[in-house]
Amino acid sequence: MNIGVIGAGVIGKTLARKFSAAGHNVTLADARGVASIQAIADWANVRAIEVEDVATDVDVLVVSIPFGNIPDLVKTLEGKIADHVVIVETTNFWPNRDATVEAVENGMVNSVWVQQQFGRPVVKAFSNIGAYSLAVEGRPKGSKDRIALAVSGDEQRAKEVVMGLVDDAGFDALDAGLLEDSWRQQACSPAYCTDLTLPELIKARAAAQRETLREKQDLLFSKMQDIGEDYFKIILSGDYPEGFVDHAVDIVREINNMPPRKHTTLN
């Protein structure tokens, strides 16, 4: 397929590289412009392109930018996304980090708000895994303890396309139902960044309690700040010190009363 990825951060660039390695034709765009991401594009073996052009002649458009920047992106791409294009959004709203979004603060599911901004169906995926695990924990289909990712959306055809991309990236895909139910894998739910197998992910989503999400998000934010003031700089850089990611994932699991999990490390 022809895939456009918007956002050259730790998630976007990793997805671009994985999709390219799987044989897809991938372009990568970022608000910083082509020159600023050329080295990233070369690393991912994809073509750098301007945001204004990334929706041209694509089958899938992956949106991996900060949650609050979605409305500006929609304006930039107005009239440029063909009807057949599957839009995938990987975002997570963090009340401690992102600007206030009144509809979300009043209870709207994160991805439902994103879908409203685009005015057309979107698929939520690649949002319940950390950048490090996305980069190094992918395994061939059928592997033991293969991590599973939730895929939510209101159009079955679009979900099936994205579930195929999840498999291409090295993970099992769970059809997680309608977008309205995607709160079950939002930040700090039991399904969020806890590196679960498919059966475990199904149970974790079922155990999610919507009324506790904000409390858990605040708690995680507080615990992460205890790691050090450079925590968020480290997250954005993607250059993780030894043990950093294991510790972060274990905090999420601790908040959800789940045992620690062993992780693969880079050689």
Side-chain angles (χ1 to χ4, degrees):
M1 292 186 295
N2 292 329
I3 302 174
V5 178
I6 305 174
V10 289
I11 298 293
K13 71 180 182 182
T14 300
L15 289 176
R17 185 174 189 177
K18 282 179 171 285
F19 295 155
S20 177
H24 299 291
N25 179 35
V26 183
T27 52
L28 179 65
D30 191 276
R32 291 172 288 175
V34 169
S36 295
I37 66 167
Q38 188 60 60
I40 296 173
D42 292 344
W43 168 84
N45 195 30
V46 302
R47 183 164 60 93
I49 196 170
E50 298 294 349
V51 174
E52 292 81 359
D53 302 320
V54 71
T56 302
D57 296 327
V58 297
D59 304 299
V60 177
L61 190 64
V62 180
V63 178
S64 191
I65 65 175
F67 186 83
N69 293 352
I70 294 290
D72 288 339
L73 175 65
V74 170
K75 292 178 182 177
T76 298
L77 296 181
E78 186 174 3
K80 298 181 179 181
I81 307 175
D83 291 342
H84 74 278
V85 175
V86 175
I87 300 177
V88 187
E89 69 98 356
T90 75
T91 65
N92 280 297
F93 172 71
W94 281 95
N96 306 88
R97 180 197 65 184
D98 299 318
T100 299
V101 177
E102 186 175 353
V104 172
E105 291 287 348
N106 290 335
M108 182 177 288
V109 176
N110 297 178
S111 293
V112 172
W113 180 83
V114 173
Q115 182 166 267
Q116 285 190 356
Q117 305 313 299
F118 278 99
R120 55 183 288 167
V122 303
V123 178
K124 185 180 185 72
F126 301 105
S127 62
N128 69 299
I129 186 169
Y132 183 88
S133 293
L134 179 64
V136 306
E137 297 277 16
R139 301 178 185 180
K141 190 171 186 176
S143 298
K144 182 181 178 182
D145 297 330
R146 198 185 197 208
I147 293 172
L149 304 183
V151 180
S152 297
D154 299 336
E155 283 193 349
Q156 191 61 35
R157 180 196 70 85
K159 278 197 295 185
E160 289 174 358
V161 169
V162 178
M163 290 173 71
L165 291 175
V166 170
D167 184 53
D168 286 345
F171 304 93
D172 285 337
L174 171 65
D175 185 336
L178 299 176
L179 206 63
E180 182 65 39
D181 203 38
S182 64
W183 65 266
R184 293 183 179 276
Q185 62 258 24
Q186 283 180 190
C188 290
S189 70
Y192 174 77
C193 290
T194 44
D195 291 354
L196 304 176
T197 63
L198 188 58
E200 291 171 337
L201 180 58
I202 292 171
K203 292 179 181 179
R205 291 187 78 258
Q209 297 180 346
R210 192 169 182 177
E211 62 273 12
T212 67
L213 285 182
R214 181 61 179 266
E215 177 184 344
K216 289 181 177 181
Q217 290 166 359
D218 290 341
L219 180 58
L220 178 64
F221 188 84
S222 175
K223 286 180 175 289
M224 289 307 190
Q225 284 186 314
D226 289 343
I227 295 175
E229 60 181 14
D230 291 333
Y231 168 74
F232 288 104
K233 291 181 180 179
I234 293 172
I235 286 291
L236 292 173
S237 72
D239 184 14
Y240 304 132
E242 182 177 356
F244 175 85
V245 175
D246 286 1
H247 183 50
V249 171
D250 285 343
I251 288 176
V252 180
R253 294 177 71 95
E254 176 187 345
I255 289 173
N256 285 290
N257 297 313
M258 304 166 76
R261 186 181 188 276
K262 294 181 179 179
H263 294 263
T264 302
T265 55
L266 290 171
N267 294 323

